[in-house]
Amino acid sequence: MQLAAASGLMSVFLFVVAVGVLALLAGGFWMTSRVRYRESPRPRPEEQPKLPPEGPVHEVRENRESAEIPQIPKGDRPLTPYELTNMDTRTSESKQRPRWSKGSSGSFGGGGLGAH
């Protein structure tokens, strides 16, 4: 008889746990619907971005070279980074692409064999 009583208590406990899990799931769906209701509506098809009249934009390949760093006269103190202006880049006149040395990956840890 004792086994039957313990079994009945266990089934009641499992039933309460199942109802609690269902309540949590229902609350999650309810909160999700409230959040979605407050969001701005999705854009309609006519509000979607359009291509420019001249068509899609393509990438431009060009070599860039940096501006020259000002030379310091002998005996003067060097410039600090705060005294330098923005070191802009400009389009290089050379159209030849820079190449790494043969057998080099071009970067540290890039997976190449390195120069041998």
Side-chain angles (χ1 to χ4, degrees), residues 35-46:
V35 168
R36 279 199 181 158
Y37 180 73
R38 283 186 271 159
E39 288 178 353
S40 58
R42 292 187 176 152
R44 295 187 303 271
E46 60 270 7

Side-chain angles (χ1 to χ4, degrees), residues 67-88:
E68 294 294 323
I69 297 176
Q71 296 294 322
I72 307 298
K74 208 163 190 97
D76 280 356
R77 66 174 182 78
L79 296 175
T80 63
Y82 306 104
E83 295 172 327
L84 295 172
T85 62
N86 286 338
M87 302 305 277
D88 294 330

Side-chain angles (χ1 to χ4, degrees):
M1 252 173 117
Q2 294 253 344
L3 290 176
S7 158
L9 186 59
M10 183 60 94
S11 63
V12 169
F13 175 73
L14 288 177
F15 178 75
V16 169
V17 168
V19 168
V21 169
L22 287 175
L24 283 173
L25 286 172
F29 280 114
W30 176 72
M31 285 188 63
T32 302
S33 67
R34 287 189 59 198
V35 168
R36 279 199 181 158
Y37 180 73
R38 283 186 271 159
E39 288 178 353
S40 58
R42 292 187 176 152
R44 295 187 303 271
E46 60 270 7
E47 296 174 337
Q48 296 291 331
K50 304 279 190 269
L51 278 176
E54 60 272 1
V57 179
H58 299 286
E59 76 177 52
V60 176
R61 288 189 176 227
E62 62 183 8
N63 294 333
R64 306 287 296 174
E65 54 186 35
S66 60
E68 294 294 323
I69 297 176
Q71 296 294 322
I72 307 298
K74 208 163 190 97
D76 280 356
R77 66 174 182 78
L79 296 175
T80 63
Y82 306 104
E83 295 172 327
L84 295 172
T85 62
N86 286 338
M87 302 305 277
D88 294 330
T89 62
R90 61 183 179 273
T91 304
S92 173
E93 294 179 17
S94 169
K95 299 298 178 193
Q96 185 176 3
R97 293 176 54 203
R99 297 289 181 187
W100 305 111
S101 60
K102 186 174 181 178
S104 171
S105 66
S107 66
F108 178 76
L113 297 174
H116 290 280

